[in-house]
């Protein structure tokens, strides 16, 4: 039987995030159907990871939720400043966790606000493993005692 995890992304991407990255993210979220150009290694992106699962047998209360929207972050003398708000809360089986690094690598260079970017936890655990984004990358995280970098 598979192990099950709650995976949460809660971060802002810069407004100038390249369109190919946004298309790849939309593919992961289930907003576009075709595999996006620009993702080099199709083996690392076998299937969209953040598509909400709407089946009735959920293992995490509240089910899957995803959101991607462009939001005004502040008003400046030269106009409004925007960022892309990403929120995704998904239920993953352990096999999907093998692809977490690829998703973190896709997002990290485009993070607008360093620091907390989300977390994951085994559904029976109370402690979370937090994603910390800084300087275009993320701090190492361990899945099953192995650093996925």
């Amino acid at each position: 039987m598979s192990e099950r995890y709650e995976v949460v992304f809660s971060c802002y991407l810069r407004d100038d995030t390249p369109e190919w990255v946004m298309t790849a993210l939309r593919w992961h979220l289930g907003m576009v159907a075709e595999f996006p150009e620009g993702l080099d290694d199709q083996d690392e992106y076998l299937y969209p990871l953040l598509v909400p699962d709407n089946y009735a047998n959920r293992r995490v209360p509240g089910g899957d939720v995803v959101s991607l929207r462009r939001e005004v972050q502040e008003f400046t003398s030269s106009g409004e400043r925007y960022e892309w708000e990403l929120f995704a809360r998904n239920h993953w089986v352990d096999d999907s966790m093998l692809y977490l690094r690829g998703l973190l690598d896709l997002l990290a260079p485009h993070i607008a606000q360093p620091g907390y970017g989300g977390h994951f936890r085994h559904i029976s655990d109370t402690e979370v493993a937090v994603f910390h984004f800084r300087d275009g990358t993320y701090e190492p995280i361990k899945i099953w005692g192995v650093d996925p970098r």
Side-chain angles (χ1 to χ4, degrees), residues 3 5 17-19 23 25-26 30-31 35 58 60 76 78 84 88 91 96 101 103 108-109 115 123 127 132 135 145:
E3 296 293 316
Y5 293 84
T17 298
E19 187 53 38
T23 301
L25 184 54
R26 288 182 185 102
M31 297 174 176
F35 186 83
R58 292 185 183 100
V60 180
T76 67
S78 59
W84 287 96
H91 172 243
S96 296
R101 189 197 88 220
L103 195 52
I123 62 168
E127 292 187 36
H132 290 277
D135 301 323

Side-chain angles (χ1 to χ4, degrees), residues 82-115:
Y82 289 88
E83 291 176 356
W84 287 96
E85 174 190 272
L86 169 64
F87 181 79
R89 178 185 184 257
N90 299 86
H91 172 243
W92 286 13
V93 295
D94 51 4
D95 291 345
S96 296
M97 296 298 287
L98 299 172
Y99 302 102
L100 179 59
R101 189 197 88 220
L103 195 52
L104 291 168
D105 288 343
L106 178 71
L107 298 175
H110 311 288
I111 294 295
Q113 301 176 18

Side-chain angles (χ1 to χ4, degrees), residues 8-12 86-88 115-119 131 133:
V8 174
F9 285 90
S10 181
C11 55
Y12 288 95
L86 169 64
F87 181 79
Y116 175 84
H119 67 267
F131 313 135
F133 291 111

Side-chain angles (χ1 to χ4, degrees), residues 21-38:
V21 173
M22 296 305 296
T23 301
L25 184 54
R26 288 182 185 102
W27 176 74
H28 275 295
L29 293 165
M31 297 174 176
V32 296
E34 292 185 29
F35 186 83
E37 292 182 27

Side-chain angles (χ1 to χ4, degrees), residues 6-78:
E6 173 191 47
V7 179
V8 174
F9 285 90
S10 181
C11 55
Y12 288 95
L13 302 172
R14 292 190 323 265
D15 194 37
D16 66 351
T17 298
E19 187 53 38
W20 74 267
V21 173
M22 296 305 296
T23 301
L25 184 54
R26 288 182 185 102
W27 176 74
H28 275 295
L29 293 165
M31 297 174 176
V32 296
E34 292 185 29
F35 186 83
E37 292 182 27
L39 290 183
D40 297 332
D41 188 359
Q42 194 161 359
D43 290 336
E44 190 158 336
Y45 302 99
L46 292 178
Y47 52 88
L49 293 169
L50 302 175
V51 174
D53 210 348
N54 294 320
Y55 64 92
N57 189 20
R58 292 185 183 100
R59 302 286 175 113
V60 180
D64 292 356
V65 177
V66 297
S67 174
L68 178 65
R69 58 186 176 195
R70 190 170 178 244
E71 293 286 324
V72 174
Q73 292 300 308
E74 68 178 336
F75 298 95
T76 67
S77 59
S78 59

